[in-house]
Structures are given as C-alpha cells and as structure tokens.
Amino acid sequence: QRRIDDTEVAKSLGVPLYTDAKEMMLKEQLDGVVIAVPTHMHLAIAEACVEGAKLRQAAGCQGTLKALLIEKPICQDLASALKLLDIME
C-alpha cells in the first residue's frame, strides 16, 4: 500500500518508484530483491520478480536475479510455499 507522499520521497532521494514488481525487474538491473510485504502477498511478488527477471534475460539485457530475501513466514500455507520453491527452480 502506497502512502500519499511516496512520489515526493522517491524524487527527493533520486530513486525510481515502482508499484509493479515485474515492471521493476524488467527496467532495473538487480542482483537481489527483499520482499517485505504482508505474508499473503509473498508468492505473488516473488512470482512477478522471477517472471520479470526471466523476461529481462530473454531480451538480452544484462543482469541476473541471484537472490530473493523473503521475510518470515515464507508463505501463508504449505501449498503456497511449495509453489514458491517450484518457481525458484
């Protein structure tokens, strides 16, 4: 969830602001991503990061996602955690 002043803070710090993880991965050369969102969103955000990184690599862009740091608990249930592990393969 964004705050009203997010755009101004990003401008003042000179950093881009993204609301879509896949778009961020496509546009930025990132080695790693920290996922610190509510637990029920972990799988979707991780999936978007991996998809974006794969698309970036397929387009011939430099950079490879090497790590995702996901806060605990990794997912809200075992099925989601297993799906996350499959995505990461």
Side-chain angles (χ1 to χ4, degrees):
Q1 182 175 352
R2 291 188 53 205
R3 293 186 356 215
I4 258 177
D5 62 346
D6 285 350
T7 303
E8 291 302 317
V9 171
K11 272 185 192 177
S12 72
L13 295 173
V15 297
L17 175 67
Y18 292 100
T19 58
D20 182 306
K22 189 174 179 180
E23 177 188 0
M24 176 186 69
M25 294 306 298
L26 282 167
K27 291 185 176 179
E28 303 293 336
Q29 182 178 336
L30 303 174
D31 292 328
V33 174
V34 176
I35 298 178
V37 297
T39 304
H40 71 278
M41 297 174 67
H42 287 182
L43 178 59
I45 299 293
E47 199 167 22
C49 287
V50 171
E51 285 177 23
K54 285 180 180 178
L55 289 172
R56 182 177 172 79
Q57 191 172 23
C61 297
Q62 290 186 344
T64 303
L65 180 62
K66 297 176 181 138
L68 284 179
L69 175 63
I70 303 173
E71 65 180 359
K72 294 192 302 183
I74 192 166
C75 286
Q76 63 187 8
D77 55 45
L78 181 58
S80 296
L82 292 173
K83 185 173 180 183
L84 178 62
L85 290 175
D86 284 342
I87 290 166
M88 299 309 296
E89 293 291 329

